[in-house]
Amino acid sequence: MDKATVKAHKISDQEYEEILKILGREPNLLELGIFSAMWSEHCSYKSSKKYLNGFPTKAPWVIQGPGENAGVIDVGGGVAAVFKMESHNHPSFIEPFQGAATGVGGILRDVFTMGARVVANMNSLRFGEVRGESENARKQRYLLKGAVAGIAHYGNCMGIPTIGGETTFDPSFNGNILVNAFALGLCKSDEIFYGRAEGIGNPVIYVGSKTGRDGLGGAVMASDSFNDANKSLRPTVQVGDPFAEKLLMEACLELFKTDYVVGIQDMGAAGLTSSSFEMAGRSGSGMKMYLDRVPMRETGMTPYELMLSESQERMLICAKKGCEQNILEIFKKWDLDAEIIGEVTDSGVMELYWHGELAGEIPIAPLSEASPVLDRPTARPKYLDEIKNLQIPENVDNKTAFWKLLGEPEVLNKSLIYDQYDANIQTNTIKQPGLLGAAVIRVKETGRAIAMAAQCDPRANFVDPKIGAARAVAAAGRKVAMSGATPLAITDCLNYGNPQNPEVMWQFAQGCEGIKEACRELNTPVVSGNVSLYNDTEGVSVYPTPAIVTVGVNEDANLSLSSVFTRVGAAIYVLGETKGEFAASLYAKALFDAVGGELAAVDYKKERALWDLVIEANKSGALEFANSVGVGGVAITLAKMACLSGLGAECKFDVEKPNFIFDESFSRAIVGVKDEAKFESLAAKYGVKFEKIGSVGGDKFKLNDIEEKLSDVSEVYFNKFAAIIRQED
């Protein structure tokens, strides 16, 4: 094979030597393409695998941990929750609508292929600087509008509510936006399906939409940095059809009521290649596939194109022998293509035929289960020493600071985004998007509620990748606990820069250690996840962004706590310690354009005590609302709660220095208390520090030396974001 072709497939010299050893000969183009896709960063996790070992993955409620299409936990009453988060960063930067839409489509298939009906979507979005008239700001606004429209289009057409998420902004994402999609489905806990192909002679069936040339090379593209050349790679971005996926989901759910299926796998990144190799690899089986039988959307397609296309809305099924016709009829009924394209063997080899001729022959294990593991060099970034001594001037009065922080895009209300999502379809949504904290749905069959929350602070991860990642786990769990639910497990999407940069690999390694530590200490194991590397452009990497979604359960859906003020007169308490921490804070960034300092480590005992206090106090009827203190500290958190409830607040918060009302000390919450004596007794039992700071009511927002009309605060909070994003409309 000539060197130019090998290089074009992003295969290193060392990897090519390994291919020659595995095959005992030169590969043909089809085989090279398959190796290229399966050994890409996106599919093989070759740079990250070393650090993913050791994640806590087990607990009594975990049914399926990492290694399958999605994670599964027991949520009580014979019901299981199936969930996962995944990235579609590069495609969304190249073509925001289709990139984001197919990101949603892909995560939905990962969930329903496990046998679950999808009941909730969320997303975690990062954009660059959207303010101003620069070419970049205009580009970021375009990307935001396109990505959000794509997410809304796919979820709404599928009839799946998008019930929450997070959106943050930072110049580090100017060259690479991040679009992370999360989905959660429900099924009976004893009716879960797995991505396996086993049983000699069992048929392999292709179902769903026809295969075209869209998405060719998508997995390889997602495993490379951006430059001017590959920013134009629109053909590598898949095109989604949510109506076809809706039919596919319903057909699969009908199929799952039968006993025809041995295993089933979504065709995601690397399409037919990854699905077939992974299914056979998990079982130690072999497979024969007859590629001329694959339903094709375009004429003149080659085996290479058929194996590597990332056309959407497709599945691969390993069926029980003798059930083929029954399966074909189900998919025909739903107006979907279905063809028997192969069979399971015991050879451990993938044999690919084209019109009766052997077109490719590759051992399966080296590609699926034993792909390369790279031990890339790591180096602590030099910038950490430069930024650790953060000096915060004290020359800005609180009123000025308040208005500045309130007007930051990451603080402002994002109704421009979430109003495009149907949040109420399926009629299970308890808590609407935009109402702070965790999203909550009802499980009608059991009367329980499932809470889920997305969280990551990229600035904190830039300042300290280990503590920042641990904080993401803790803060996502805290949001769930503040809804009254017990946090049970997480899924993650680890977004980092170029792994060939030793400093990025160090950030990644530290981030993994932070997640391991936090999940272990807080008893929220990792059940699924995704790694997205090469989020860099022209040598500039994004801030480390290990996005976390925590999922938890409240045994009584009627006891789901609000995150905003609920009535006039309610007593407002701040829980936890306020120590004057401004490292990586919004205050430092917004007022002084400074990102730095040294983060305090997470005190897991205090964090868990806060969760347990709120969960028990809620069960006892002592609480009215609860909300985690986030960016902008107590002042901004209170202001958002007041705006969203339409109720003012009168508060006096005892702090050491005036600007501590904006500090971002960790493990804190704001709660509304009904029964003060009972609550204070419980707080003492859990050893949680508390301060009663005031009460809900009036038409003003008052906190220490800040006193503003609630209508003025609300005007900025609700309207400024749309004004920024819609400048060109």
Side-chain angles (χ1 to χ4, degrees), residues 491-544:
T491 183
D492 58 38
C493 196
L494 309 180
N495 308 272
Y496 289 79
N498 189 332
Q500 295 168 37
N501 178 341
E503 294 189 349
V504 169
M505 271 324 294
W506 186 88
Q507 291 173 328
F508 182 84
Q510 289 290 302
C512 289
E513 288 309 304
I515 293 169
K516 289 173 192 176
E517 182 184 278
C519 289
R520 193 167 54 245
E521 294 293 328
L522 297 169
N523 203 16
T524 53
V526 182
V527 297
S528 58
N530 172 243
V531 176
S532 173
L533 301 176
Y534 291 97
N535 293 294
D536 74 312
T537 298
E538 308 295 356
V540 179
S541 291
V542 299
Y543 280 177

Side-chain angles (χ1 to χ4, degrees), residues 437-478:
V440 186
I441 60 163
R442 181 179 282 100
V443 184
K444 290 188 180 118
E445 298 84 347
T446 64
R448 299 178 179 217
I450 295 175
M452 55 207 90
Q455 180 64 37
C456 184
D457 180 348
R459 281 191 303 275
N461 281 272
F462 177 73
V463 168
D464 190 319
K466 182 180 176 183
I467 296 176
R471 284 185 169 214
V473 173
R478 190 185 323 131

Side-chain angles (χ1 to χ4, degrees), residues 97-98 101-102 105-106 108-109 153-155 157-158 208-210 214 238-249 297 311-314 335-336:
F97 182 94
Q98 288 296 352
T102 52
L108 296 180
R109 290 194 300 282
H153 170 71
Y154 213 101
C157 293
M158 285 285 295
S209 297
K210 288 180 168 65
D214 51 316
Q238 310 92 328
V239 178
D241 179 351
F243 299 109
E245 180 136 327
K246 171 69 172 168
L247 296 176
L248 183 61
M249 181 171 76
R297 197 167 65 229
S311 294
Q312 297 288 284
E313 296 85 39
R314 304 178 300 158
D335 201 23
L336 292 163

Side-chain angles (χ1 to χ4, degrees), residues 433-673:
L435 291 178
L436 311 180
V440 186
I441 60 163
R442 181 179 282 100
V443 184
K444 290 188 180 118
E445 298 84 347
T446 64
R448 299 178 179 217
I450 295 175
M452 55 207 90
Q455 180 64 37
C456 184
D457 180 348
R459 281 191 303 275
N461 281 272
F462 177 73
V463 168
D464 190 319
K466 182 180 176 183
I467 296 176
R471 284 185 169 214
V473 173
R478 190 185 323 131
K479 284 181 176 179
V480 167
M482 295 307 109
S483 76
T486 302
L488 292 177
I490 75 156
T491 183
D492 58 38
C493 196
L494 309 180
N495 308 272
Y496 289 79
N498 189 332
Q500 295 168 37
N501 178 341
E503 294 189 349
V504 169
M505 271 324 294
W506 186 88
Q507 291 173 328
F508 182 84
Q510 289 290 302
C512 289
E513 288 309 304
I515 293 169
K516 289 173 192 176
E517 182 184 278
C519 289
R520 193 167 54 245
E521 294 293 328
L522 297 169
N523 203 16
T524 53
V526 182
V527 297
S528 58
N530 172 243
V531 176
S532 173
L533 301 176
Y534 291 97
N535 293 294
D536 74 312
T537 298
E538 308 295 356
V540 179
S541 291
V542 299
Y543 280 177
T545 309
I548 306 291
V549 173
T550 299
V551 176
V553 175
N554 190 331
E555 289 177 5
D556 184 350
N558 297 321
L559 290 181
S560 296
L561 263 175
S562 170
S563 301
V564 302
F565 301 156
T566 49
R567 69 171 177 89
V568 172
I572 302 171
Y573 283 62
V574 173
L575 308 183
E577 294 179 58
T578 300
K579 303 172 187 171
E581 293 179 15
F582 288 97
S585 66
L586 183 64
Y587 186 88
K589 176 75 175 71
L591 293 176
F592 309 107
D593 198 27
V595 180
E598 292 185 276
L599 294 179
V602 179
D603 186 325
Y604 297 108
K605 285 192 170 60
K606 285 183 178 173
E607 183 68 45
R608 192 75 211 205
L610 177 62
W611 299 5
D612 293 343
L613 164 62
V614 169
I615 291 166
E616 186 175 338
N618 181 48
K619 282 180 182 169
S620 75
L623 290 183
E624 301 205 29
F625 56 81
N627 188 26
S628 171
V629 175
V631 295
V634 167
I636 295 300
T637 304
L638 273 173
K640 293 197 288 189
M641 294 168 76
C643 292
L644 286 160
S645 64
L647 300 170
E650 190 158 337
C651 299
K652 181 81 178 83
F653 187 25
D654 185 17
V655 286
E656 193 177 314
K657 292 184 178 179
N659 66 349
F660 281 19
I661 61 173
F662 302 108
D663 103 308
E664 294 182 13
S665 297
F666 210 61
S667 303
R668 295 184 300 164
I670 293 167
V671 296
V673 180

